[in-house]
Structures are given as C-alpha cells and as structure tokens.
Amino acid sequence: MVDAKLRTWIYALICLLIFLKAEGYFVDITYVESAVAKGAVCLDGSPPAYHLSPGFGSGVNNWLVHIEGGGWCNNVTTCLARKSTRLGSSRQMVKQIAFSGILNNRQTFNPDFYNWNKVKVRYCDGSSFTGDVKRVNPTTNLHYRGARVWLAVMEDLLARGMSKAENAFLSGCSAGGLTSILHCDNFRALLPLGTRVKCLSDAGYFISLKDITGTEHIKAFFNDVVTTHGSAQNLPSSCTSRLTPSMCFFPQNMVQKIRTPLFILNAAYDSWQIKNILVPGVADPQGTWHDCKLDIQQCSSSQLQIMQGFRTQFLNALAGFGSSSSTGMFINSCYAHCQSEMQETWLSSNSPVLEKIPIAKAVGDWFYDRIAFQKIDCPYPCDSTCHNHIFEDNSEA
C-alpha cells in the first residue's frame, strides 16, 4: 500500500515538473493592503490581489495585465454565496497560481510577451470591476466595490513601474475579457501618451439574444448585476448616454466607441454562452440539451441548426467592429471558452489556427503592427484544429 501511494505521489510530482518545464510556472500572490482604507475591497471586505511575474531583458518596461474571469453575482443571494469563495474573498485565494499561455515566460511558448512584466489580477467583486455602492449593509457585509478595486490595483501597478511602460497590454478571459473591453480606454488614460497601449478580450464578447424559449434571460441577468452593484456610473458614457446602463454590459453596444485598439478573440460557438445564454437551465427543464451542452459532438441535427443560428447572431453582433484597421479579430468555429490562458490553445504544436496562423502569432503580429489580423472561421464542423471543450457531467451548466 505504501509503495503504491509513493508511486502515485512520485508520478504526480513528475507530471507537475513536466508541466512547469514545458508549459508554465507558479507565481506568488500580492495583496493590495493599502486599498482597504480606500474602500477598494472584495465582496467580503478583504483586500484585492494579483500575481506579478517581473519582466526581464528587453521586456522590463513592458506590461501585460490579464484579468481573471469567473462570471458575476446579480443579487444579494448569489453575492453572499460568492463571498465565501475565491471569487468574493482574497482570503480564499490560493497563494500561488500557474502562469501559462499568454502569461508564459518562455519565448518558445509565448514569443512576443514572454519577458514582459506579467500580471494576473484576481477577480473578487462579481461585477467585472464596475460596481461602487458606498453603503455596506451590516447584515450581509457585502461590499460592491469593483470599480474601486480596479483603480486601486492599477495605482499599485503604476507605482511598481507600469507608469514607465513602453508597451502595455490589457487582456482578460470571460468576465475578465468583458473587463478588458469596459476598461480599455480607462487603462489607456492611466498611461503616458507615448506608451503603446492595446487591449485583448478573450471570450468576453457576450451577446444579447433570446434563449431557446424566446426569453431574454441574459438581458434580465445583466440588468440585475448593474443594479445590484451600482455599475451605471462606471460604464462607458458613450453608451449610457444612448442606452439603459445594463445594455452597456453587452460589448456589441459600445465597442465601436472604444478609441484604444482592441482585439476580439472568441469562439463563434462560445461554450459558456451556449450553456448560459442560449440554453440556460431554466430554459431546458427536461434536460433535452444536457448531452449537447457537455459535448458538441452529441448534439442532434436540430440542436446544431440552433447553434448555427447562434453563430449567425454572434457574427451580426460583431458587425462594424472590424471596420477599423486598428482592431483585430480571431473568431474560430470551436466549442470553447477562453483560449489565451491555456498553452495548448495559445501556442503549441497542435493549437487552433486560422489560415495557418495560431492565436499567439495573430495577437503578437497585431499588437506590434506587423500584420493586421481580422479573420472569421467557416461554420462548424469545418475546423479540424479546434480544441472543443468536453465538460464533465457534473460541471456547472
């Protein structure tokens, strides 16, 4: 028994070492303790946090700031549940996390950003860093302070050297990808005029559409998020001057007004959006879509037809975004969500490609103005390079 346990432990250690050598490395957490006095805190009142891997060589004055994803909480009940997790409290966050993909520090795996100062900002406010409600209910002790957290973390990074950045890149995944869109121009405004500043949204282009029952579920959900967190004042005024604030949580309603160069990386069959916007659990009480949502290869022909309709609406929501040469797009026809954080999809021997170009090269070429990149894939199932997500049966739908 001991030998078996020892072998298992040794095997796990070897796997970890192989991962660290080939694909990633661990980075310690930094708590922004000074933010607490400013009221810039997580849902539970704990200080915000990030992980910083210092730049080296020619990258010492370049900064990549990547925002963690993790959905949103839309009312007291869901925010209370979130408060006791890493998505609502820095006290619940692990002390180290693995950096890979766009955060990798090896040139082979991340040729354009490997030696930059690389930051992963932890997400603990539940509003994509937009909330700011001054009063704290003593009964719940919930702090809706995402916008303050954003500013406190950015001020801390500026003091650590980002104020001298030659190149700065704001990126994020999922709810963090939405953050990189919502705060793109704000990020630009914090940095010197001579700094090259651009933004990347990975799986953050959430679209407004009806679910399979004809209900506008996501619109109501985002309205609750904006109302609960008091987000209206921190959403782009170019949008809120025209539309109700909650509609400005949808990138399609405000990307055309963003002045800072922006790259949209997204799967046209975004697995999170299929599972939570097109077919949320409440829209499928009989579980007809259960197997399809877990694995696109299990979808029936009629379900695939509906998903093709989702792709059409997604592309329609992108219309007009790529009209500027400063914008970039990598829209592949995969069943996936977030492709910049994992090495296998960012850059590897079999990573997804569009016209033979992997994501890392497309983004790097665009950032450095080497080659413009605005590509949209053919419909599913034409792309054999996809890493389609297959979910566990007990995964959240």
Side-chain angles (χ1 to χ4, degrees):
M1 179 67 72
V2 174
D3 288 343
K5 287 184 177 179
L6 181 61
R7 284 197 299 271
T8 301
W9 184 86
I10 291 173
Y11 177 75
L13 180 61
I14 291 172
C15 289
L16 175 62
L17 292 173
I18 291 172
F19 167 78
L20 292 177
K21 181 179 179 182
E23 294 193 347
Y25 60 108
F26 285 101
V27 179
D28 291 333
I29 198 167
T30 297
Y31 300 101
V32 189
E33 300 286 358
S34 61
V36 177
K38 305 172 186 176
V41 292
C42 300
L43 283 170
D44 72 333
S46 58
Y50 60 80
H51 302 254
L52 167 62
S53 174
F56 55 92
S58 61
V60 291
N61 290 321
N62 297 333
W63 288 75
L64 170 66
V65 179
H66 186 80
I67 312 296
E68 181 181 32
W72 310 268
C73 59
N74 65 325
N75 54 41
V76 170
T77 301
T78 56
C79 290
L80 278 174
R82 192 181 180 96
K83 188 176 79 164
S84 59
T85 74
R86 64 175 176 81
L87 292 171
S89 172
S90 61
R91 298 185 185 100
Q92 303 300 322
M93 296 173 185
V94 294
K95 300 297 187 287
Q96 290 185 325
I97 61 171
F99 273 23
S100 64
I102 196 172
L103 296 171
N104 203 309
N105 66 350
R106 294 184 63 194
Q107 188 172 10
T108 305
F109 298 109
N110 190 23
D112 285 301
F113 311 109
Y114 73 100
N115 62 355
W116 286 31
N117 296 281
K118 294 176 291 296
V119 181
K120 185 163 187 177
V121 180
R122 301 305 297 270
Y123 180 36
C124 65
D125 67 275
S127 71
S128 284
F129 298 85
T130 62
D132 194 355
V133 176
K134 184 176 181 179
R135 181 179 180 273
V136 177
N137 186 322
T139 303
T140 63
N141 196 37
L142 283 169
H143 298 71
Y144 302 114
R145 302 285 178 76
R148 295 195 204 186
V149 169
W150 160 265
L151 188 57
V153 170
M154 292 303 121
E155 288 176 343
D156 201 68
L157 295 177
L158 288 166
R160 286 177 177 265
M162 194 170 73
S163 61
K164 300 181 179 66
E166 296 171 4
N167 293 288
F169 199 11
L170 177 65
S171 67
C173 153
S174 192
L178 177 59
T179 301
S180 69
I181 295 175
L182 293 172
H183 282 291
C184 187
D185 283 340
N186 296 334
F187 185 66
R188 162 71 274 182
L190 293 169
L191 294 155
L193 289 176
T195 306
R196 184 204 306 262
V197 181
K198 297 189 178 185
C199 306
L200 165 68
S201 172
D202 177 10
Y205 205 92
F206 299 94
I207 66 170
S208 175
L209 85 163
K210 297 176 180 178
D211 66 25
I212 55 171
T213 68
T215 304
E216 294 183 307
H217 174 81
I218 190 62
K219 187 182 290 186
F221 179 83
F222 276 171
N223 184 66
D224 289 344
V225 171
V226 169
T227 302
T228 298
H229 291 266
S231 300
Q233 61 193 316
N234 298 307
L235 295 171
S237 59
S238 60
C239 179
T240 55
S241 63
R242 298 178 293 111
L243 299 170
T244 56
S246 61
M247 293 306 293
C248 299
F249 237 60
F250 294 105
Q252 68 201 76
N253 293 325
M254 43 81 174
V255 286
Q256 291 86 354
K257 298 291 184 179
I258 294 175
R259 299 181 299 277
T260 308
L262 172 65
F263 193 107
I264 301 296
L265 164 62
N266 225 106
Y269 306 88
D270 186 296
S271 57
W272 191 94
Q273 296 196 54
I274 296 291
K275 293 171 66 181
N276 295 279
I277 298 181
L278 181 65
V279 196
V282 294
D284 183 34
Q286 303 303 317
T288 306
W289 281 75
H290 176 269
D291 292 348
C292 174
K293 290 199 292 183
L294 294 179
D295 180 356
I296 193 171
Q297 293 189 48
Q298 302 303 316
C299 297
S300 66
S301 58
S302 60
Q303 288 170 333
L304 283 175
Q305 187 174 359
I306 291 171
M307 290 171 69
Q308 297 294 8
F310 173 87
R311 173 183 178 270
T312 298
Q313 292 190 68
F314 183 86
L315 297 183
N316 288 341
L318 273 173
F321 168 72
S323 58
S324 169
S325 60
S326 67
T327 59
M329 279 194 297
F330 190 109
I331 310 297
N332 54 1
S333 289
C334 306
Y335 188 62
H337 185 68
C338 292
Q339 300 179 86
S340 65
E341 295 179 338
M342 295 187 299
Q343 198 60 53
E344 65 182 40
T345 46
W346 176 247
L347 183 62
S348 66
S349 59
N350 67 337
S351 55
V353 297
L354 285 182
E355 297 185 9
K356 300 183 179 180
I357 305 295
I359 295 168
K361 180 169 173 50
V363 172
D365 283 347
W366 168 82
F367 184 89
Y368 281 111
D369 300 315
R370 294 190 294 251
I371 303 173
F373 197 94
Q374 296 180 351
K375 307 292 183 187
I376 297 175
D377 210 352
C378 48
Y380 176 88
C382 72
D383 191 341
S384 61
T385 70
C386 281
H387 288 227
N388 291 322
H389 203 144
I390 299 176
F391 295 88
E392 296 294 327
D393 191 40
N394 62 351
S395 65
E396 186 175 303

